[in-house]
Amino acid sequence: MARRRGGRSPARVNLRGLDQLRRDLEGLAAVVMEGSLAAVEASAEAVRAGTRERVRVRSGNLRDHVGIYYARGGLTATVGWKDRADWYATQHELGTRRITAQPALGPALEEERTKFDARLRAEINRRLPQ
């Protein structure tokens, strides 16, 4: 059966509180960014602490010079050694013909990788209004 053209008027919708919803969503973006920054920082600190616990210690140089370097406004963190005097960190991490590998950075990173999603959720939820 064919529909009649015309006949009924289109439905009308009246939205109330749209301005408040817009303000709430803008505030939510700030909360997510703030929680994300805190989660990245906490994860980077955890990787650094795990690396310090695992690294081979002779003089303490590698243990004491594990650094955290942030990029992209704090949303990316690089943990490791950047000083030229710490060139031998790679040899300890990966090993050579004479030095057996004793990874410190890799295991610390893998351990934190499994915890990051929960850490991110917790940091954002902590900042959400109840």
Side-chain angles (χ1 to χ4, degrees):
M1 192 165 155
R3 287 188 165 182
R4 265 183 14 190
R5 290 190 171 204
R8 295 186 180 175
S9 62
R12 293 177 189 221
V13 177
N14 185 10
L15 295 175
R16 294 181 185 176
L18 194 57
D19 291 332
Q20 180 64 38
L21 176 62
R22 189 173 286 126
R23 284 191 300 272
D24 289 347
L25 289 176
E26 287 172 3
L28 182 62
V31 167
V32 169
M33 179 59 84
E34 199 177 292
S36 299
L37 291 170
V40 168
E41 183 178 346
S43 287
E45 290 292 339
V47 171
R48 178 167 58 181
T51 302
R52 283 180 173 171
E53 290 173 8
R54 291 176 176 90
V55 74
R56 186 179 282 154
V57 177
R58 184 172 181 185
S59 67
N61 184 54
L62 291 182
R63 180 194 60 222
D64 297 341
H65 289 104
V66 179
I68 301 174
Y69 310 94
Y70 293 99
R72 295 182 51 205
L75 290 176
T76 301
T78 303
V79 179
W81 299 273
K82 284 196 174 184
D83 191 358
R84 286 180 163 222
D86 301 330
W87 59 270
Y88 60 97
T90 305
Q91 294 179 347
H92 288 280
E93 189 78 15
L94 303 175
T96 65
R97 285 187 286 167
R98 294 183 179 147
I99 300 173
T100 59
Q102 186 174 343
L105 185 59
L109 178 63
E110 289 303 318
E111 182 182 332
E112 183 57 29
R113 185 186 311 263
T114 62
K115 299 175 185 177
F116 183 74
D117 288 342
R119 186 184 305 273
L120 180 61
R121 273 191 222 100
E123 290 291 344
I124 292 172
N125 285 335
R126 185 177 328 150
R127 289 162 172 78
L128 287 174
Q130 298 301 322

